[in-house]
Amino acid sequence: MCGIVGAVRSAAPVTAGLLEGLRVLEYRGYDSAGLATAEGSTLRVAKREGRLANLEAAIAEQPDWGGHAGIGHTRWATHGPPSDLNSHPHLAGGGGVALVHNGILENHEPLRRELEAEGVTFRSQTDSEVLAHLFAKELAAAHGDPVRALRAALGRVEGSYACAALIPGGGGARVVCSRNGPPLVLARGGDGCWLASDLLALLPHAPEVVFLEEGDVALVEAEGFTIHDAGGEVVERAPKAVDWQPGDSSKGQWPHHMLKEIHEQPGVLARGLANRIGPARDDVALEGFTDELLTSVERVQVLACGTALHAGMVAAYAIEQLARVPVDVDFASEFRYREPVVQGGTLSLAISQSGETADTLAATRLAQQLGARVAAICNVQGSSQVREADAVVLTQAGPEIGVASTKAFTAQVLAAILLAVRLGRAKGALSADAAGELLGAARQLPSQAEGMLTTAAREAIAEIARRHAAAKGFLFLGRGVSFPIALEGALKLKEISYVHAEGYAAGEMKHGPIALIDPGMTIVCLNGSSPLSEKMRSNVEQVRARGGVVLSVGSDPETHALASDVVEVPETHPLLAPILQVIPLQLFSYFVADLRGCDIDKPRNLAKSVTVE
Ligand code: F6R
């Protein structure tokens, strides 16, 4: 998705810092990039389709390039294809201002027609250029007051936005910005102020950041920034300390962020458990999840998208089993449009790595309006999802840069299971012994995961991937709590290697997908020591009878004996098995994608954080 950076400094040039910020945002997915800088009243713009190197070349073509204030953008095309002209920033007001925008303006067409009738000439096909012209028009009407002008321009648009406009001027250039939907974060650092749509881009500048609230408009100058709330009042927004380090988002010695992040999982699991298991080791301490909140819960509504939804499906098994509370799991994008019924006593549980996924946020807000209390499992401190929840489990996985989610997923599953234990204990549904047994097994997870990520283990999976990379398709089968892992294994494989893969509940196979099976298909069968393993074995027999090639991932020796390839997964508590089972599937997808020459960290068409519908 699109990314925004901006800076106003008193003396030093901004270009290198803005380009560095755009580089940090690359992981979010983009197809073009641009930069505008101002020096006094001179405004310069460079923008190019393609990677940042193209933008750098365009800047190099302008020998007098410079400036102490600027805004930059990475674009992920929505309105109009990727092209130099459709890239941001967009100029308006006779080249007097430049604007960048993330999000979608739903009423851009009538506004464009209205502006054209007034004599405005559009240079791009984007919805964003409409906002640039509206802002320039309002700036003239407001006698150069950027806050009034941006508020007036935004008053005309419908949709979601984070935007920033650069206004050059003899007395010093300024940036004005606002958000309604996609995030925007500000920081004071060095000799100026910085802004970005992702706090990762601000890490090199300041240890503390300020998150704009919905409807805020901020005027950013070299000396500081002033925030006006949605009602127009000047407000102070408390700075938040950031516990991520600038180096956390680099891939170090690893060839890809995804491989690095897969290998970070033992540490992520250890952090997810640290200080959360109570002294008696039979309950969990989760800040904000009070007995008052939990005993009122009569139903849980999980809302999430993609990989996070698969974590939510595991949560459903764990919560129903441990807390005996019914759970519904919905695609956030479906929930928000299906006139849902939310009963009294519902806890809406949003699961999101980024905390900025538009569908998950909208679904959660709807659940809240309908009377639910809101909990979140989220990786990004200070994100919208975190700020809007009554109680939050932070997954503490650190920045996840690879577009394919790995460590955030295992952290989400662990957090969900800990929450299920806490709920079970608070509601008296889970005995101390049963909780103690599960938490005892959970404490083994970091070392078990470590054992699955040795060089030898990794090489073995790379070898299996070599044998299967040319398969014409993949079917992932799981039962019970391993069913969401089958879905996740298939999602991981298709998103980074572009091969067709489907995840199925193994019992459903004979109701349709069995027709796909032939010797060209690889069937990945997840198994464990659960009571369902015998049923899984019959499914494997059915696959073999039709010539399917079986890859067995799990801990059931009898299923392994039926397979042509085997990945051994250590034994654990049945509810924790998904956390270990997914690790070889992540590695398998990684190696298949690598063999197929795919861009692993930035798969085609995908964005890391989906902040539009
Ligand atoms: C897949 C993946 C996506 C995200 C989904 C939700 O690897 O990363 O499916 O899980 O877009 O994103 P978050 O968790 O940020 O809400």
Side-chain angles (χ1 to χ4, degrees):
M1 293 279 118
C2 302
I4 290 176
V5 292
V8 186
R9 308 182 77 178
S10 55
V14 287
T15 302
L18 291 178
L19 282 171
E20 198 41 52
L22 291 181
R23 209 160 281 123
V24 172
L25 298 186
E26 276 191 294
Y27 82 101
R28 301 176 71 93
Y30 72 111
D31 45 52
S32 50
L35 208 65
T37 59
E39 199 161 26
S41 38
T42 307
L43 184 63
R44 298 183 181 88
V45 179
K47 43 196 210 167
R48 282 286 186 276
E49 184 189 340
R51 296 289 186 202
L52 278 180
N54 301 357
L55 171 63
E56 287 172 301
I59 290 172
E61 283 165 18
Q62 301 190 39
D64 58 346
W65 184 274
H68 304 301
I71 52 176
H73 192 259
T74 45
R75 175 172 188 255
W76 189 83
T78 56
H79 296 70
S83 71
D84 292 354
L85 281 180
N86 285 336
S87 314
H88 303 209
H90 295 289
L91 290 179
V97 293
L99 181 137
V100 291
H101 163 239
N102 292 355
I104 288 180
L105 304 179
E106 278 153 16
N107 60 339
H108 68 103
E109 276 175 17
L111 289 170
R112 177 184 277 256
R113 283 196 296 276
E114 178 187 313
L115 288 160
E116 279 172 342
E118 291 171 11
V120 170
T121 305
F122 280 82
R123 296 176 61 77
S124 78
Q125 295 152 285
T126 64
D127 53 342
S128 312
E129 193 184 350
V130 167
L131 185 57
H133 291 296
L134 277 178
F135 174 66
K137 180 174 146 182
E138 297 295 347
L139 190 64
H143 307 293
D145 178 341
V147 173
R148 248 176 70 203
L150 189 57
R151 187 177 304 289
L154 293 173
R156 302 287 321 278
V157 303
E158 286 159 22
S160 65
Y161 50 77
C163 62
L166 174 64
I167 309 122
R174 293 166 298 168
V175 170
V176 64
C177 58
S178 183
R179 70 159 290 210
N180 176 35
L184 215 46
V185 198
L186 305 176
R188 250 177 270 259
D191 68 336
C193 293
W194 299 81
L195 66 113
S197 53
D198 182 327
L199 75 85
L200 276 179
L202 297 182
L203 296 183
H205 304 296
E208 281 190 341
V209 298
V210 169
F211 291 86
L212 289 189
E213 303 274 334
E214 300 280 328
D216 281 354
V217 176
L219 181 64
V220 183
E221 296 170 291
E223 306 74 46
F225 44 80
T226 317
I227 302 174
H228 303 249
D229 68 10
E233 297 296 320
V234 173
V235 283
E236 284 292 325
R237 300 267 178 241
K240 298 256 184 319
V242 182
D243 55 10
W244 292 354
Q245 304 302 316
D248 290 352
S249 60
S250 81
K251 61 178 186 246
Q253 301 307 307
W254 295 95
H256 296 97
H257 284 287
M258 182 181 177
L259 194 58
K260 174 183 177 238
E261 288 160 5
I262 290 171
H263 283 80
E264 283 172 355
Q265 290 177 109
V268 167
L269 292 169
R271 271 204 302 284
L273 289 163
N275 308 322
R276 284 185 169 153
I277 297 183
R281 307 202 152 198
D282 60 7
D283 202 349
V284 169
L286 292 176
E287 209 184 319
F289 289 88
T290 57
D291 279 348
E292 181 277 317
L293 171 66
L294 295 175
T295 50
S296 72
V297 176
E298 282 164 29
R299 178 170 282 277
V300 174
Q301 172 66 64
V302 174
L303 297 168
C305 303
T307 286
L309 185 92
H310 300 151
M313 292 171 73
V314 178
Y317 285 94
I319 292 170
E320 292 199 335
Q321 196 173 316
L322 303 179
R324 308 305 299 151
V325 170
V327 185
D328 292 312
V329 184
D330 270 80
F331 294 104
S333 55
E334 287 297 314
F335 181 83
R336 61 188 289 198
Y337 294 117
R338 71 164 167 79
E339 297 186 32
V341 176
V342 172
Q343 294 168 343
T346 296
L347 180 72
S348 147
L349 176 61
I351 306 183
S352 174
Q353 187 287 127
S354 62
E356 302 294 351
T357 298
D359 282 323
T360 309
L361 279 169
T364 310
R365 287 173 190 151
L366 176 61
Q368 200 161 26
Q369 274 163 28
L370 296 174
R373 294 176 85 177
V374 173
I377 292 176
C378 189
N379 196 36
V380 181
Q381 202 189 356
S383 60
S384 304
Q385 200 76 63
V386 165
R387 281 179 293 121
E388 294 178 23
D390 299 311
V392 178
V393 191
L394 278 173
T395 43
Q396 305 177 106
E400 189 176 66
I401 307 297
V403 165
S405 187
T406 52
K407 63 176 181 172
F409 174 75
T410 43
Q412 286 162 350
V413 173
L414 178 65
I417 291 171
L418 294 182
L419 177 55
V421 171
R422 180 77 265 278
L423 186 60
R425 297 293 283 137
K427 291 194 73 85
L430 181 64
S431 72
D433 283 353
E437 190 193 332
L438 187 149
L439 295 174
R443 290 201 302 278
Q444 307 306 313
L445 288 171
S447 59
Q448 288 177 313
E450 188 95 57
M452 298 175 75
L453 288 164
T454 59
T455 309
R458 190 170 66 233
E459 283 308 315
I461 293 175
E463 189 48 47
I464 294 174
R466 274 191 276 280
R467 287 200 284 276
H468 293 266
K472 75 168 190 209
F474 293 80
L475 187 58
F476 288 72
L477 299 177
R479 278 180 175 266
V481 77
S482 297
F483 164 47
I485 301 308
L487 296 175
E488 176 59 10
L491 176 65
K492 225 59 331 159
L493 189 59
K494 66 188 144 198
E495 70 181 327
I496 59 166
S497 63
Y498 321 142
V499 294
H500 184 237
E502 283 194 63
Y504 253 88
E508 273 292 297
M509 183 182 67
K510 55 192 169 304
H511 299 286
I514 198 164
L516 291 170
I517 294 172
D518 68 19
M521 285 282 283
T522 291
I523 320 297
V524 183
C525 296
L526 297 165
N527 55 80
S529 61
S530 83
L532 293 170
S533 29
E534 203 174 303
K535 299 194 183 303
M536 189 69 205
R537 283 198 291 276
S538 342
N539 295 129
V540 173
E541 294 284 18
Q542 290 156 10
V543 169
R544 275 163 44 103
R546 284 151 189 91
V549 182
V550 176
L551 164 56
S552 172
V553 176
S555 56
D556 178 36
E558 291 177 61
T559 309
H560 290 344
L562 301 172
S564 35
D565 278 303
V566 169
V567 179
E568 185 66 38
V569 175
E571 283 278 7
T572 181
H573 186 288
L575 278 176
L576 300 171
I579 295 177
L580 297 178
Q581 286 172 348
V582 80
I583 293 174
L585 301 191
Q586 296 166 344
L587 284 171
F588 182 73
S589 307
Y590 173 84
F591 288 118
V592 170
D594 202 32
L595 287 163
R596 296 171 64 94
C598 301
D599 188 350
I600 292 179
D601 283 335
K602 297 188 202 82
R604 69 183 181 205
N605 306 334
L606 289 181
K608 180 64 183 164
S609 173
V610 185
T611 52
V612 296
E613 275 199 78

